[in-house]
Amino acid sequence: MDLALFDFDGTLTTQETFPRFLRCFVPAERQRAARWALAPLVAGYRLGLVAGTRVRAEVVQRGLAGADEAAFNAAARDWAARELPGLLRPQALARLRAHRARGDTVLVVSGNFEVLLQAFAAAEGAVALGSRLESREGRLTGRYAGPQCVLEEKVLRVHAEVDTGTFSRIHAYGDTREDRPMLLLADVAHYLPRGWPATLDPERID
């Protein structure tokens, strides 16, 4: 039995779902105020000068601080049920299902909100590992609960979830530099800007 690790946004989906969901949840007035404040950071990110982790942390702080935790979780589950089916990449979903059909363990490992991914992953026989938000007395603080699930944190979360030594091989699928440590963990790695492989056994990338 093998282990298959899938990034979510841009790998299983055709586009980023983090901003799409937040635009539906965060009130319009708060979005307008945050847009002006975040503009320099977003510009820096697009130029490769600002890390995505910093941008996401600022977005969460400005957009979600004080939000009702139960309402956020319910909205994330509802949005995912309604919107995700139309955003999934058919070839990627077929690959995930091919792993499950042959008995592989599948983890969806993403920097996106874990609550947004859980129902999708469960329906596909997979486990979602994502970023979690801090809350106090039922309100979001505007901070992440621990590190965002990107870069080396993806590998740490995988090791915390499963004993990787019990699998014959590890496959990993990702599309950005934030997936690189997870790709390097794998015996068979798929860096998707190079295109989707035709079989389950392409060569490992370096």
Side-chain angles (χ1 to χ4, degrees), residues 64-84:
L64 298 179
D68 181 89
E69 180 184 20
F72 174 84
N73 290 341
R77 289 189 290 266
D78 290 346
W79 187 91
R82 184 176 66 252
E83 300 293 337
L84 282 187

Side-chain angles (χ1 to χ4, degrees), residues 22 25-27 30-31 33-35 38 55-68 72 113 133 140-143:
L22 287 180
F25 180 77
V26 178
R30 195 165 186 176
Q31 286 188 49
R35 189 175 298 118
L38 292 169
V55 176
R56 286 188 294 270
E58 289 288 338
V59 169
V60 165
Q61 174 63 44
R62 294 182 179 277
L64 298 179
D68 181 89
F72 174 84
F113 304 122
L133 296 177
L140 299 179
T141 65
R143 293 186 294 270

